[in-house]
Amino acid sequence: MSLFGNLFKKDKENENQAVNANTSDKILVPITGIVSSVKECQDPVFAGEMVGKGSLILPSEGKVYSPVDGEISMVADSKHALGITSNTGLEILIHIGLDTVELNGEPYTSHVSQGQKIKAGDLLMEFDIEKIKASGKAVESPVIITNADDKEINLLANGQTNHGQALMEVIG
């Protein structure tokens, strides 16, 4: 009897490990605009997924909302980028525009600070799309999972989207 008990116990442990190995997290669209794969980014570092896997948003509204429940892990001094650690441990980089570090924070207004707890849908930052364009910078905004090397990323959105819709699923 204990032999069968141990066999069933092992099966249950293996089943639980398989379930845990295939957990998934949904990331919401943080910026209203046109979504595509980050591989389409004009910046070769993002397009080559050297920073991580993810998506690209061409903003139509100058607001960034939290894509997950978690904590702000970084706000760039120039306010052009935010780092978020989700409650499940995903590290998300939202980079607003390309080469926008050179704008020294001018077109950005941050509503959060490092260490702040956030909920999905919270307004994190505002930015002036026209000022970024007028400075000669691209407004393409990568949304990257920086610790997804061993994970599968499925893009759930494509084309015109609104913040709060499902953007991607991270499996692994």
Side-chain angles (χ1 to χ4, degrees), residues 75-92:
V75 178
D77 291 340
S78 58
K79 301 180 205 152
H80 75 288
L82 291 165
I84 299 169
T85 302
S86 76
N87 287 345
T88 60
L90 290 177
E91 296 170 3
I92 304 163

Side-chain angles (χ1 to χ4, degrees), residues 106-127:
E106 182 60 36
Y108 302 98
T109 302
S110 178
H111 298 294
V112 292
S113 56
Q114 186 171 338
Q116 184 175 334
K117 300 282 186 203
I118 53 171
K119 294 279 186 200
D122 287 352
L123 179 63
L124 306 179
M125 185 170 292
E126 294 181 78
F127 58 100

Side-chain angles (χ1 to χ4, degrees), residues 6-42:
N6 284 339
L7 281 175
F8 291 125
K9 184 179 176 187
K10 284 283 186 207
D11 286 346
K12 192 69 170 168
E13 285 175 8
N14 289 341
E15 184 180 305
N16 287 340
Q17 287 173 349
V19 168
N20 290 338
N22 290 317
T23 58
S24 70
D25 286 304
K26 284 213 171 54
I27 309 299
L28 302 179
V29 174
I31 305 168
T32 295
I34 300 170
V35 172
S36 60
S37 168
V38 74
K39 293 177 182 180
E40 295 180 29
C41 186
Q42 61 183 287

Side-chain angles (χ1 to χ4, degrees), residues 110-160:
S110 178
H111 298 294
V112 292
S113 56
Q114 186 171 338
Q116 184 175 334
K117 300 282 186 203
I118 53 171
K119 294 279 186 200
D122 287 352
L123 179 63
L124 306 179
M125 185 170 292
E126 294 181 78
F127 58 100
D128 188 322
I129 294 171
E130 294 311 313
K131 278 188 181 177
I132 294 171
K133 287 179 179 178
S135 71
K137 305 296 181 193
V139 292
E140 288 181 356
S141 298
V143 179
I144 305 297
I145 311 299
T146 60
N147 62 341
D149 290 341
D150 59 340
K151 296 173 178 40
E152 180 183 335
I153 306 281
N154 293 324
L155 205 55
L156 302 174
N158 193 28
Q160 182 61 48

